[in-house]
Amino acid sequence: MTRLMIYGATGYTGRMAAAHARAAGLDLILAGRDEPRLAELGGSLGVEHRVFALDENTVVHAALQNVAVLLNCAGPFQRTADPLMRGAIRAGAHYLDIAAELDSYRLAEAYDAEARAAGIMLLPGSGGSVAMLGSLAGRAAERIIRPHTIRVALHVAGTMSRGSAISARENLTAECLERANGALRACEPGITRNFDFGSGPVPCFPVTLPDLVTLWRALQAPNISTFVHVSGSAFPSGELDALPDGPSAEEREANRYQASLEVTGAGGKTVRAILDTVNGYSFTPLAAAEAARRVLAGKARPGFQTPAELFGNGFAESIADTTIQILQD
């Protein structure tokens, strides 16, 4: 089997991922619940589409027949990740998604043994900040012995897509977490920390990012904290359902993303690093389509994997014009 299915293909990011996958020559199936929009998009790309909801296991299983790789672009992922991960394992398809929500990664941890037994890979965060920050942390960690503490901040610029805003609203009540001595624990959300993204230090507030799971899994650093700095109108107000699908191409072009990280080794050495890349809404579909292409080409390992572990620390730098600058302490 060599076919890629994108579920949530008519969403803002799903459409771009589908276009990139098609341009890469992948054998593509579009999927989701909206028949008219799927038919229109499938017609424009010249590919098959399948319509199905996620309420019944048998329906999901049947829809995933002859699919080698499933890319889930349908958020909120707290609703879609579980049925699609289970369905992928049963159907023998590798699972990828673009989730920025911790739930997908906890599910991948929970299904790790089952996926390994089935020979199926679970790769949440195949595009987006997890791919960015995993590569950034991996590059910095190459220069120290046994990472002990990782602090990382993401600079989010520009406007948020409607889907991301709705997901963020549904997750606002989630606990603010950090990893300490290997365990997740609550942290104080009001205490900021300064990070330099390349133009001087700015205050960043703590936030629960999935990198608390993925960086722990990849680097085994027992202490990890994640932060964000927001500029522009990244967190919209008002009626979210009335928002446009997402930022325009011009808005994406005007608002690049950065990340800043410091990693300290067991011996006390600290390495700082900065990542600069295109807007997250441009990076994510590019990275997800490239990840799917590599998995279809045979780059896969059973169980829960992270992009940097699977593809190497240079994965983010292979997407668009992403750069990583290492700053020694």
Side-chain angles (χ1 to χ4, degrees):
M1 293 187 297
T2 59
R3 307 197 75 185
L4 166 67
M5 173 181 283
I6 299 180
Y7 192 85
T10 61
Y12 177 72
T13 302
R15 291 196 305 272
M16 288 189 284
H20 291 313
R22 187 61 173 148
L26 303 185
D27 189 357
L28 183 62
I29 304 169
L30 309 180
R33 297 179 300 174
D34 192 326
E35 163 69 36
R37 294 178 69 193
L38 282 169
E40 180 181 3
L41 183 60
S44 68
L45 294 177
V47 299
E48 177 188 348
H49 70 277
R50 298 180 186 177
V51 182
F52 62 100
L54 306 179
D55 307 298
E56 298 182 19
N57 293 338
T58 55
V59 171
V60 175
H61 179 74
L64 292 178
Q65 295 309 297
N66 302 314
V67 171
V69 175
L70 168 65
L71 171 60
N72 178 13
C73 293
F77 293 91
Q78 62 183 0
R79 300 177 188 170
T80 64
D82 192 12
L84 285 175
M85 277 190 196
R86 288 188 283 107
I89 292 171
R90 288 194 304 272
H94 297 308
Y95 173 92
L96 286 64
D97 72 26
I98 57 170
E101 306 162 20
L102 193 63
D103 286 349
S104 278
Y105 302 84
R106 284 175 156 167
L107 280 171
E109 286 184 314
Y111 290 136
D112 178 55
E114 186 178 348
R116 287 179 187 275
I120 296 306
M121 182 172 68
L122 305 176
L123 188 69
S126 58
S129 63
V130 165
M132 296 178 196
L133 301 185
S135 291
L136 178 63
R139 283 291 194 214
E142 292 171 353
R143 291 157 172 81
I144 62 172
I145 298 173
R146 295 194 311 278
H148 180 270
T149 300
I150 297 174
R151 298 184 181 93
V152 61
L154 182 66
H155 176 204
V156 178
T159 58
M160 186 179 287
S161 74
R162 181 171 64 242
S164 296
I166 292 171
S167 293
R169 179 182 60 187
E170 294 188 2
N171 284 276
L172 278 179
T173 58
E175 212 173 12
C176 186
L177 300 175
E178 64 182 359
R179 191 173 290 276
N181 297 319
L184 291 176
R185 72 175 188 187
C187 63
E188 175 53 56
I191 299 178
T192 62
R193 183 180 181 88
N194 285 344
F195 287 83
D196 188 345
F197 297 99
S199 301
V202 293
C204 302
F205 59 88
V207 64
T208 301
L209 294 179
D211 310 275
L212 295 172
V213 171
T214 55
L215 294 183
W216 162 251
R217 190 170 188 86
L219 300 174
Q220 290 296 294
N223 303 293
I224 304 170
S225 49
T226 52
F227 300 80
V228 68
H229 176 71
V230 177
S231 62
S233 54
F235 289 146
S237 58
E239 183 53 52
L240 299 185
D241 290 333
L243 291 173
D245 277 358
S248 65
E250 292 76 19
E251 289 172 323
R252 296 197 307 270
E253 183 69 24
N255 292 283
R256 295 177 66 84
Y257 273 30
Q258 291 84 34
S260 178
L261 171 141
E262 57 186 46
V263 54
T264 301
K269 178 182 178 180
T270 296
V271 173
R272 292 179 172 81
I274 296 173
L275 174 146
D276 180 82
T277 190
V278 294
N279 186 272
Y281 289 108
S282 297
F283 181 97
T284 296
L286 278 167
E290 173 59 15
R293 186 194 67 79
R294 295 188 190 192
V295 175
L296 284 168
K299 189 67 174 180
R301 292 198 297 261
F304 176 20
Q305 307 294 333
T306 70
E309 281 185 292
L310 183 68
F311 303 128
N313 294 330
F315 179 60
E317 292 167 285
S318 73
I319 306 302
D321 60 342
T322 303
T323 60
I324 291 176
Q325 180 184 6
I326 301 295
L327 310 171
Q328 297 290 343
D329 189 18

